[in-house]
Every structure is written in C-alpha cells, then in structure tokens.
Amino acid sequence: METLKEFFKNSSDIGEKLFRARDYTPVPFLILALLFERPKVGFVALGCFLIVLGELIRIYSVSFIGGISRTRKGSLGGKLVTEGAFAYVRNPLYVGNFFIILGVCLFSSVTWLILLGLAFFCAQYYYIVQYEEGLLEERFGEEYHSYKMTVPAWIPTKLPSLDEIQWPTSFSPALRSEKRTFMAIAAVLILMILRA
C-alpha cells in the first residue's frame, strides 16, 4: 500500500503531465459535443453565456498574471500575483476554464456529456492544482502559505463592490495572450452551429 507521501508524489507527477497538456485535454469533449449534440434553445443560450463569462474571467485574470499563464514549464514569474481575480480565488483562470467547458457541454444539450465533462474537469484540475501549489509553496514559501490560508481555491467567499474592483493598467496584453483561446472558442461554436 502506498504511503501518503508516495501518493502525493504520484499526484504531483500526474498533475505535471496534465498541466503540460491542459490546452489539449478538452479536445475529446469538443469532439463528443460535435458528434452527439442535440441543441435546445435554452441550453444553447445558457452555454453561450457561460462560455463568454469564462473567457471574460480569463481575460481579467491574465491582465494581472500576464503571459506566464501560457507557459508549459511550471514557470512562476518573479512575484506571487494576489491582485485582481487572484484576490478572490487562487485559480481564476481555471474557474474561467470551468465555465467555458461547462458552456460547451451545455450547448450540446447532452446530459451525459455535461456530467462527464464536469467529472473530468474536477479530476484533471484536482491534480493540476496539487502540482502548481507544490511549485508555489516551494518558490514563495510562507508568502504563498499565508495567501493559501486566506484566499479560497475555487469559490470566492466575498466579492468586491463595483468601486472596489481592481482594474489592470491595460487589457491589451491579455487580449493578445488569449488570441488562441478566442480562435478555439470561435471555431468550436461555428462548428457546433453548422452541425446543429
């Protein structure tokens, strides 16, 4: 039987592999959505809303973390980012991804695909977050530990009022960084609409 330490080492290995492949792991769900979709107006509308919401969360988050969010090597940048969306959840980019994948699955209007997508997302990001948090704890030590103790991983315990929202100096770098994501979302939606 594995010891707890061995399990978490293996979790970290799994997380590292999933982290490096995270742009490609949604592809099977996109293919399934295209093959089995049975769009219904309410599901399509809700799916589109969630996709847009997810991408807006990503843009806002990337505007604070920068292009480091695109790295595949576990690079952490020079400082711990705790501003913007990172002040409310530790994983805002992945929260955005959650809404995008849920939106695509809802657009398909296929119940089993929605459930499968949610289960896979939870499993994948459990391991990815384990891996990333290990890197962050190693790099930033007590600063990250303190941040982790005060900011939830996924669901914010508080939201800012409109006058408390932190705004980046510019959204341009985030929009450039998200260009591939925009193109992927547009391509998937166009294909789904054409097949509907």
Side-chain angles (χ1 to χ4, degrees):
M1 187 170 154
E2 280 186 317
T3 67
L4 198 55
K5 187 174 182 179
E6 287 170 339
F7 173 78
F8 281 110
K9 181 181 183 331
N10 292 339
S11 284
S12 183
D13 292 343
I14 293 167
E16 182 178 8
K17 287 177 178 60
L18 289 170
F19 174 81
R20 292 180 191 277
R22 68 190 185 278
D23 282 351
Y24 308 103
T25 55
V27 171
F29 294 99
L30 302 176
I31 292 169
L32 289 171
L34 288 168
L35 291 175
F36 294 101
E37 69 175 335
R38 301 285 183 268
K40 296 181 177 97
V41 173
F43 282 98
V44 168
L46 181 57
C48 287
F49 171 78
L50 291 177
I51 291 167
V52 170
L53 175 64
E55 186 53 30
L56 289 174
I57 291 170
R58 285 188 55 83
I59 291 166
Y60 181 61
S61 302
V62 171
S63 68
F64 287 93
I65 199 170
I68 198 79
S69 66
R70 288 286 176 199
T71 184
R72 296 283 162 270
K73 298 181 180 172
S75 179
L76 303 173
K79 73 178 191 85
L80 181 64
V81 178
T82 60
E83 299 88 31
F86 293 90
Y88 303 100
V89 291
R90 297 193 309 269
N91 303 292
L93 286 163
Y94 299 156
V95 171
N97 291 352
F98 170 79
F99 286 121
I100 291 169
I101 195 73
L102 178 59
V104 169
C105 291
L106 279 169
F107 189 109
S108 75
S109 305
V110 178
T111 305
W112 64 263
L113 183 59
I114 296 166
L115 298 174
L116 183 64
L118 290 174
F120 182 79
F121 180 92
C122 291
Q124 171 178 305
Y125 281 100
Y126 167 81
Y127 288 110
I128 288 175
V129 168
Q130 292 290 319
Y131 165 68
E132 283 187 325
E133 288 190 339
L135 294 177
L136 290 162
E137 285 172 358
E138 188 177 304
R139 173 73 182 270
F140 298 108
E142 185 54 40
E143 181 185 9
Y144 182 73
H145 181 72
S146 180
Y147 172 68
K148 187 177 175 180
M149 293 298 106
T150 57
V151 177
W154 298 101
I155 301 169
T157 54
K158 62 178 174 132
L159 290 174
S161 63
L162 285 176
D163 59 328
E164 294 174 323
I165 294 176
Q166 295 174 302
W167 295 105
T169 53
S170 172
F171 282 103
S172 295
L175 293 171
R176 279 193 300 277
S177 178
E178 285 294 288
K179 185 169 55 171
R180 278 185 23 213
T181 307
F182 291 146
M183 292 187 329
I185 289 171
V188 167
L189 287 177
I190 289 167
L191 284 171
M192 291 181 85
I193 289 166
L194 290 175
R195 284 191 46 84

